[in-house]
Amino acid sequence: EEKKSAEAITAHRIITTVGSSPLSIAIDVPDNLNDRTEDGDSEQKNLAELSREIASLEARLAENQQQFTKKPRVLIVTSASTIAATDAEYVHQWRVRIEDIGNLHYPAAAREKQLYGDVRLLVKLKANGIVEETTIMASSGSEILDRAAIESIRLASPFEPFPKELAEKYDRIDVIRTWQFRKNKLSAKAG
């Protein structure tokens, strides 16, 4: 009989850990949850409430962990970036393609009106070579040039998928570059 009561005690033990974690969830424990009563029904009710709360917290934690693991691994390339040679080669080839396409389609209206200027863009490029998003970070002040910069991305798309080595490290590259429209020439400079 002594063995049975020792097993019963160990069967009801709850083990917890304490420590900091980037995936923490704060919970509010009702004050009355810690109140012990002689009434077995009330204690069962508190245990049932606690069990539901634990299940809810576990579900929220699982959801947060899933969202955390879904975050893309992103390489951000700016003028200040220092990147590996293989990564730099891919970005270089990407830039050359944009400049070639952009120069082939240099806007006639910009030539006629002798419009020159710089457009700073953020281009989010997925590992499969598809552009996820293009955002104007700094306008040239000319709608024609701003549209031409974005159009150079659209016309050059899709790009080559990331090389294996790059794709193993990153899901996306965010490139911040300045499209420089000069007399009859487009270039994409870092920054």
Side-chain angles (χ1 to χ4, degrees):
E1 191 170 330
E2 197 172 304
K3 185 178 179 182
K4 279 185 179 181
S5 65
E7 286 176 5
I9 291 171
T10 58
H12 287 82
R13 282 189 188 162
I14 297 175
I15 299 173
T16 60
T17 61
V18 177
S20 61
S21 169
L23 299 173
S24 298
I25 297 175
I27 62 168
D28 293 322
V29 177
D31 292 335
N32 67 352
L33 196 58
N34 293 324
D35 297 343
R36 299 282 175 171
T37 64
E38 298 294 321
D39 185 0
D41 288 340
S42 180
E43 191 172 316
Q44 285 290 50
K45 188 176 181 180
N46 285 342
L47 287 175
E49 288 174 14
L50 182 58
S51 188
R52 281 193 299 275
E53 182 70 20
I54 289 170
S56 172
L57 289 172
E58 286 174 339
R60 286 173 39 205
L61 180 59
E63 183 180 323
N64 285 349
Q65 285 174 326
Q66 189 175 29
Q67 288 175 355
F68 182 75
T69 58
K70 286 183 181 178
K71 287 181 112 175
R73 299 166 299 154
V74 179
L75 170 63
I76 299 174
V77 180
T78 66
S79 59
S81 299
T82 305
I83 58 177
T86 54
D87 302 350
E89 179 59 26
Y90 181 84
V91 173
H92 172 75
Q93 293 301 323
W94 179 84
R95 181 188 57 80
V96 167
R97 180 172 167 87
I98 287 172
E99 287 181 358
D100 289 346
I101 296 294
N103 282 310
L104 283 173
H105 299 279
Y106 195 94
R111 282 190 184 113
E112 291 167 10
K113 295 179 181 179
Q114 296 185 355
L115 296 175
Y116 310 114
D118 297 346
V119 182
R120 191 165 190 224
L121 296 180
L122 164 62
V123 181
K124 295 181 178 184
L125 184 63
K126 297 191 307 188
N128 63 3
I130 303 292
V131 174
E132 182 178 296
E133 180 182 339
T134 303
T135 305
I136 295 176
M137 296 182 72
S139 171
S140 66
S142 165
E143 188 178 328
I144 292 170
L145 297 180
D146 292 353
R147 273 189 280 131
I150 292 173
E151 189 69 2
S152 69
I153 299 291
R154 190 188 68 74
L155 292 172
S157 298
F159 297 93
E160 290 294 318
F162 293 0
K164 182 182 178 192
E165 191 175 298
L166 184 60
E168 287 174 351
K169 293 188 288 186
Y170 302 106
D171 301 315
R172 190 178 81 213
I173 297 177
D174 291 359
V175 182
I176 300 172
R177 295 194 84 79
T178 301
W179 273 242
Q180 295 181 330
F181 291 90
R182 300 297 181 255
K183 191 172 184 176
N184 296 323
K185 185 176 182 202
L186 165 70
S187 61
K189 302 292 182 196

